[in-house]
Amino acid sequence: MAGGSMTTWAVLAAAGLVLLVSVPLCDAEAVYDIYCGKENCYEVLDVDPEASPGDIRRVYRKLAHKLHPDRNKDEDTTEAFQRVATAYEVLKDEETRKNYDYLLAHPDEWYRNMYMYYKNRAAPKVPVAPILVVLITMISVVQYYHWHNAHQSAVKFAMDDVKIVAKAKRLAEDEGLFAKKMSKDEKNKVIRGVVERRLNEQGVCLEPQWTDLLWSKILLLPLILLKWIAWNVSWVWRIRINGQEYTDADKEYLIEKNISVQWEYFHDQDLAWERELWIKENAVEYLEEIEEEKKAAQRASGRYKQEKRWRKKYGAPSANYLDD
């Protein structure tokens, strides 16, 4: 919708600009020159103004066969072929022919005739909708491919680190994820799952979901807007006007907003409730502590270079992201 509107305004602006710079005022004769010069396009093809598109096409093919420069080298026939081709270009297109017929019936309305001529020429011949569909589809495919590869690369990078794998193994053992009889491949699969989970908890290189793609965002936009409006109205009514206490859902929303991590991916939800991280000041203090702990761990472990490489390639978290 927006693309079509922009295209329409662009066409109107282009048509108006061409009129201003190219049409001499009070020169009605100039209008005819934009089609078939001083001649009548119907007379050039020797067809009736009421002729059907099929009749016009048959007459043109006959004349083109007779006058084509490849068949006839005479200069007069070359010029005649050009006149015939120009007339056919005007009459074969329904919209252009309609504008030309209006010109013949209203030759004094030069401004409108010129405007409609350039408007029709500047308008895109290909529908905008199919182009937008193809473009959005291509962007969605690229989005998924890029996010999927980034996720797989991040997991592989972590699985190649012996210390990270050892920590993930300990976590899996503490959580009882290993069965008594498991093959090495099965254990590696469990460890990989722990690594992926910890990456998700940090919100880094997440596996792409269909709801994250551009097509989904566009299709779900009306529903998202309605939910957003309803939620904000409810928030203002409950919290701002009536002064009600926060619900658990409200607190989860504020925690996500304060620490920039989705609630389901937050690794220590009990800590969030205990420290009341829905309060802005508490969240700021918590984030500062986490940052200081990360810096101290980097300095103590001597893994600064690896941390730097990780951040350069993947952004965050640090190479010590599996630390408790």
Side-chain angles (χ1 to χ4, degrees):
M1 186 66 68
S5 177
M6 291 177 63
T7 302
T8 302
W9 281 109
V11 167
L12 296 177
L17 180 62
V18 170
L19 288 177
L20 291 175
V21 300
S22 65
V23 180
L25 297 179
C26 303
D27 185 5
E29 294 294 330
V31 180
Y32 288 96
D33 293 339
I34 61 178
Y35 287 103
C36 295
K38 300 297 188 293
E39 296 182 285
N40 186 299
C41 295
Y42 290 105
E43 294 176 358
V44 172
L45 294 180
D46 194 21
V47 295
D48 188 83
E50 302 298 327
S52 67
D55 293 337
I56 293 175
R57 184 165 52 252
R58 283 190 291 271
V59 171
Y60 168 71
R61 288 177 177 174
K62 182 177 179 181
L63 292 174
H65 181 79
K66 177 181 177 181
L67 301 174
H68 198 281
D70 291 343
R71 294 179 174 273
N72 196 323
K73 303 298 183 181
D74 187 78
E75 294 184 1
D76 292 337
T77 56
T78 300
E79 182 180 347
F81 176 79
Q82 293 175 346
R83 291 169 47 241
V84 168
T86 300
Y88 180 67
E89 287 296 319
V90 173
L91 300 181
K92 75 174 183 178
D93 182 75
E94 181 180 355
E95 189 66 24
T96 305
R97 183 179 179 183
K98 179 181 177 181
N99 293 335
Y100 181 68
D101 290 341
Y102 190 91
L103 166 65
L104 295 178
H106 307 85
D108 294 333
E109 297 182 18
W110 61 270
Y111 191 87
R112 179 197 181 279
N113 290 322
M114 289 291 285
Y115 170 79
M116 295 304 298
Y117 170 80
Y118 284 108
K119 177 178 180 293
N120 185 51
R121 289 199 54 154
K125 301 302 181 182
V126 180
V128 176
I131 296 177
L132 289 177
V133 169
V134 172
L135 181 62
I136 295 172
T137 301
M138 291 176 61
I139 293 175
S140 298
V141 170
V142 171
Q143 279 182 318
Y144 182 87
Y145 180 79
H146 172 71
W147 291 337
H148 178 74
N149 281 352
H151 174 75
Q152 295 299 321
S153 298
V155 174
K156 183 178 182 302
F157 184 90
M159 292 296 293
D160 289 340
D161 190 294
V162 177
K163 293 184 179 180
I164 291 178
V165 172
K167 293 175 183 177
K169 184 177 180 180
R170 289 198 300 270
L171 286 174
E173 291 173 347
D174 293 341
E175 296 173 9
L177 300 179
F178 290 140
K180 291 184 178 180
K181 295 182 179 181
M182 292 185 71
S183 65
K184 184 177 179 180
D185 290 339
E186 290 174 333
K187 288 184 177 180
N188 287 337
K189 187 175 181 181
V190 171
I191 293 172
R192 183 184 177 92
V194 173
V195 170
E196 290 191 70
R197 188 189 72 196
R198 297 306 298 267
L199 279 173
N200 290 336
E201 289 173 355
Q202 296 292 333
V204 179
C205 299
L206 301 177
E207 182 71 20
Q209 305 294 324
W210 70 270
T211 51
D212 298 326
L213 303 180
L214 180 59
W215 256 126
S216 300
K217 297 293 186 182
I218 294 175
L219 295 177
L220 296 176
L221 182 60
L223 177 61
I224 293 173
L225 287 176
L226 287 175
K227 292 176 65 176
W228 181 82
I229 292 173
W231 189 89
N232 278 277
V233 170
S234 172
W235 179 275
V236 171
W237 175 256
R238 291 185 298 104
I239 308 301
R240 301 290 177 82
I241 297 178
N242 293 329
Q244 296 180 9
E245 296 291 333
Y246 293 137
T247 64
D248 288 347
D250 295 334
K251 293 177 181 178
E252 290 177 5
Y253 163 75
L254 290 172
I255 293 172
E256 289 183 352
K257 183 178 179 182
N258 290 338
I259 64 177
S260 301
V261 176
Q262 295 183 24
W263 178 251
E264 58 266 30
Y265 294 137
F266 190 56
H267 68 283
D268 196 344
Q269 296 181 356
D270 291 336
L271 177 65
W273 293 115
E274 180 182 339
R275 298 193 56 170
E276 299 183 346
L277 296 184
W278 59 87
I279 301 175
K280 184 69 174 178
E281 293 75 11
N282 295 347
V284 171
E285 182 181 352
Y286 167 76
L287 293 175
E288 290 176 350
E289 291 176 3
I290 293 297
E291 187 64 25
E292 287 300 322
E293 289 177 4
K294 286 184 177 181
K295 291 180 180 179
Q298 289 174 6
R299 292 190 294 267
S301 64
R303 300 175 66 183
Y304 176 75
K305 291 183 178 180
Q306 184 178 12
E307 162 72 7
K308 190 174 182 181
R309 288 196 301 271
W310 177 280
R311 288 184 178 274
K312 183 177 180 181
K313 190 170 184 180
Y314 303 108
S318 69
N320 300 312
Y321 66 94
L322 282 175
D323 287 333
D324 292 329

